[in-house]
Amino acid sequence: QQPVQSPQAVILREGEDAVINCSSSKALYSVHWYRQKHGEAPVFLMILLKGGEQKGHDKISASFNEKKQQSSLYLTASQLSYSGTYFCGTGGDNDYKLSFGAGTTVTVRA
Amino acid sequence: NAGVTQTPKFQVLKTGQSMTLQCAQDMNHNSMYWYRQDPGMGLRLIYYSASEGTTDKGEVPNGYNVSRLNKREFSLRLESAAPSQTSVYFCASKTSWAYEQYFGPGTRLTVT
């Protein structure tokens, strides 16, 4: 079952912050975050594992709440290059298979 | 290093025609995947191959078949294309000891 992402879309000005949420109805072992720019392939950002720490990638960080079966991606001091669609992928006990959310489209304007 | 390559980039088929989408990776990865991406649906797993010689169904396998030809190549076949299979298809691969999946550039398929 696909995880649910919110919001579906967000528009930011450069320097603003945003939070993207990902929740699942199933127990999670891992949450993977990818970004896809328009017309391109998805690119891996980071993974959060059950029992692991909060991760960061430049000014993009994420957290994983195992009890709530949720993850959040934080875009801090957004840059134009942050524009794209962000997908969370959730893994069960078989890390070969991921279920991806529908995506959150982020538009950063100057 | 080309990474993950896919052919063709674009394809238009008529209902009932068959075709094979090709995927190859030069990173010596063990696992390979086929996804389809539809507007508002995100990426949905069609089939995957955890290692050479094995294939397993994903979320949406109906209407598709796959072949893991060797460690490098993983093909996706549509035996009798339907308009519902109009989509962008992505192939991905990953190594056994890391979580990151590397995606190919995609194939945009239209079935009329």
Side-chain angles (χ1 to χ4, degrees):
Chain A
Q1 193 166 0
Q2 288 184 290
V4 176
Q5 284 186 238
S6 62
Q8 285 186 321
V10 59
I11 299 175
L12 303 167
R13 293 234 178 254
E14 268 188 300
E16 290 182 338
D17 302 339
V19 180
I20 299 170
N21 297 304
C22 173
S23 63
S24 174
S25 58
K26 301 196 303 185
L28 299 178
Y29 289 79
S30 62
V31 180
H32 309 231
W33 286 96
Y34 284 77
R35 178 172 65 201
Q36 183 179 30
K37 293 190 180 275
H38 184 68
E40 297 181 8
V43 174
F44 178 79
L45 290 176
M46 67 188 78
I47 179 176
L48 297 102
L49 299 172
K50 187 175 179 180
E53 300 172 353
Q54 183 164 338
K55 289 289 188 73
H57 174 86
D58 194 9
K59 289 185 179 175
I60 299 174
S61 61
S63 62
F64 182 15
N65 187 323
E66 297 158 27
K67 286 185 181 176
K68 291 186 177 180
Q69 295 162 195
Q70 290 178 346
S71 176
S72 295
L73 187 74
Y74 306 94
L75 308 182
T76 305
S78 58
Q79 306 167 17
L80 294 175
S81 62
Y82 287 4
S83 291
T85 301
Y86 291 77
F87 294 97
C88 68
T90 54
D93 56 359
N94 175 350
D95 70 4
Y96 294 110
K97 288 173 63 171
L98 292 180
S99 291
F100 283 94
T104 296
T105 299
V106 173
T107 304
V108 182
R109 294 184 174 157
Chain B
N1 254 9
V4 180
T5 56
Q6 292 183 235
T7 54
K9 284 189 167 49
F10 302 93
Q11 184 71 49
V12 178
L13 290 178
K14 293 189 189 306
T15 298
Q17 288 185 318
S18 62
M19 80 159 296
T20 300
L21 280 63
Q22 306 285 356
C23 173
Q25 50 89 12
D26 61 1
M27 296 175 283
N28 202 33
H29 286 172
N30 290 321
S31 303
M32 297 186 74
Y33 306 81
W34 276 106
Y35 294 92
R36 61 178 288 171
Q37 185 173 35
D38 303 295
M41 299 291 291
L43 294 154
R44 292 184 291 169
L45 183 64
I46 305 171
Y47 272 93
Y48 70 102
S49 172
S51 60
E52 188 179 355
T54 68
T55 60
D56 282 290
K57 295 178 181 179
E59 298 170 63
V60 289
N62 291 343
Y64 305 95
N65 284 302
V66 291
S67 295
R68 183 75 183 264
L69 305 169
N70 47 55
K71 192 171 185 179
R72 289 188 62 248
E73 298 171 287
F74 188 38
S75 63
L76 178 72
R77 182 158 179 85
L78 287 70
E79 290 291 352
S80 179
S84 60
Q85 294 179 305
T86 293
S87 188
V88 179
Y89 291 84
F90 286 100
C91 176
S93 70
K94 82 172 193 69
T95 187
S96 302
W97 56 87
Y99 294 97
E100 177 177 358
Q101 292 188 23
Y102 292 81
F103 283 80
T107 294
R108 186 172 293 274
L109 175 68
T110 302
V111 183
T112 60

